[in-house]
Amino acid sequence: TEDIYQWFYEGRNGWWKYDERSNTELETAYNAGDPACTLLLAGTLYNIDFHSMTQVRRSDQTRRRRVRRDTPMFPSKGIAGIKTY
Ligand code: V3L
């Protein structure tokens, strides 16, 4: 709720914001200096690596997306697949 930074994952033609709970988990892990963070997203486990700045499915490493940590004002398609206009 108090996060200054927003995490984004890449879609086909732009960036999506992570949901608020995931964003807080990412910020906590990142600020703790952890190398990576594991998230359960829609029933699927993903690893977000803070060095490569990518998100990858733990069960299928070919399902990889770029991620970014930026201001919440950075243009996005919406939040976690829900479009905002
Ligand atoms: N948060 C929520 N859903 C996710 C996330 C995440 N961090 N990562 C993957 N998914 P994959 P366009 C995305 C969803 O990487 O039109 C968007 O949220 C992912 O949803 O192969 O390409 C949109 O809902 C996808 O449905 O494991 O920009 C949708 O894609 C599914 O998990 C279309 O977005 C498989 O992703």
Side-chain angles (χ1 to χ4, degrees):
T1 48
E2 299 283 4
D3 293 331
I4 294 168
Y5 288 100
Q6 176 66 49
W7 287 80
F8 300 82
Y9 61 96
E10 197 168 36
R12 276 176 295 186
N13 53 347
W15 297 84
W16 295 97
K17 291 182 176 182
Y18 282 84
D19 69 87
E20 187 178 332
R21 184 182 61 79
S22 297
N23 196 63
T24 296
E25 288 194 32
L26 287 163
E27 270 301 284
T28 300
Y30 182 84
N31 289 316
D34 295 350
C37 179
T38 298
L39 295 177
L40 185 62
L41 299 162
T44 302
L45 280 170
Y46 290 91
N47 211 62
I48 292 85
D49 183 276
F50 298 138
H51 177 68
S52 60
M53 289 298 274
T54 55
Q55 168 189 291
V56 64
R57 259 198 219 200
R58 288 172 57 128
S59 64
D60 181 351
Q61 302 272 119
T62 70
R63 311 287 285 238
R64 186 175 294 272
R65 298 168 183 268
R66 291 196 296 161
V67 304
R68 65 184 303 130
R69 179 178 184 254
D70 215 321
T71 163
M73 300 299 291
F74 187 82
S76 74
K77 301 182 74 173
I79 304 171
I82 314 252
K83 284 185 184 173
T84 51
Y85 297 93

